[in-house]
Amino acid sequence: MAYVITAPCIGEKFGECVDVCPVDCIEEGEEMFFIDPDICIDCGACQAVCPVEAIYHEEEMLPEDNIYLEKAKEFFASK
């Protein structure tokens, strides 16, 4: 399981999450940040500092937010 950055991050990109991630699994995309689900250690540090409350644990996401997990997987697969 992993944390996922969702819609409130689009266009915001504050970046506090990147600074606190102990495993450097968060990268900036064109419109938002993404968390690499294969590297995330589920520590929750990113969620605690997100100023727009865009980060959710995969198990806590609403069904309509599942698209953001897929976008993160696609983002990191293309690297």
mmCIF file of all heavy atoms in Angstrom, residues 10 20 25 45 50 65:
data_model
loop_
_atom_site.group_PDB
_atom_site.id
_atom_site.type_symbol
_atom_site.label_atom_id
_atom_site.label_comp_id
_atom_site.label_asym_id
_atom_site.label_seq_id
_atom_site.Cartn_x
_atom_site.Cartn_y
_atom_site.Cartn_z
ATOM 1 N N ILE A 10 -3.343 19.480 -7.960
ATOM 2 C CA ILE A 10 -3.230 19.930 -9.345
ATOM 3 C C ILE A 10 -3.103 21.449 -9.388
ATOM 4 O O ILE A 10 -3.946 22.172 -8.870
ATOM 5 C CB ILE A 10 -4.433 19.456 -10.187
ATOM 6 C CG1 ILE A 10 -4.445 17.932 -10.267
ATOM 7 C CG2 ILE A 10 -4.392 20.071 -11.588
ATOM 8 C CD1 ILE A 10 -5.676 17.349 -10.928
ATOM 9 N N VAL A 20 9.971 16.357 3.173
ATOM 10 C CA VAL A 20 9.895 15.496 4.362
ATOM 11 C C VAL A 20 9.958 14.004 4.062
ATOM 12 O O VAL A 20 10.111 13.198 4.978
ATOM 13 C CB VAL A 20 8.629 15.781 5.205
ATOM 14 C CG1 VAL A 20 8.615 17.226 5.690
ATOM 15 C CG2 VAL A 20 7.364 15.432 4.447
ATOM 16 N N CYS A 25 10.527 9.391 -2.551
ATOM 17 C CA CYS A 25 9.641 8.726 -3.510
ATOM 18 C C CYS A 25 8.658 9.684 -4.169
ATOM 19 O O CYS A 25 7.796 9.254 -4.919
ATOM 20 C CB CYS A 25 8.897 7.569 -2.846
ATOM 21 S SG CYS A 25 7.642 8.064 -1.656
ATOM 22 N N ALA A 45 4.522 10.931 6.547
ATOM 23 C CA ALA A 45 5.138 12.251 6.741
ATOM 24 C C ALA A 45 4.616 13.260 5.732
ATOM 25 O O ALA A 45 4.370 14.424 6.066
ATOM 26 C CB ALA A 45 6.658 12.142 6.655
ATOM 27 N N CYS A 50 1.052 18.338 4.031
ATOM 28 C CA CYS A 50 0.407 18.814 2.799
ATOM 29 C C CYS A 50 -0.550 19.974 3.106
ATOM 30 O O CYS A 50 -1.557 19.775 3.791
ATOM 31 C CB CYS A 50 -0.351 17.681 2.113
ATOM 32 S SG CYS A 50 -1.133 18.192 0.571
ATOM 33 N N ASP A 65 -11.108 8.765 -6.663
ATOM 34 C CA ASP A 65 -9.712 9.201 -6.609
ATOM 35 C C ASP A 65 -8.731 8.118 -7.043
ATOM 36 O O ASP A 65 -7.531 8.373 -7.140
ATOM 37 C CB ASP A 65 -9.349 9.672 -5.195
ATOM 38 C CG ASP A 65 -9.981 11.009 -4.861
ATOM 39 O OD1 ASP A 65 -10.238 11.795 -5.797
ATOM 40 O OD2 ASP A 65 -10.209 11.275 -3.671
#
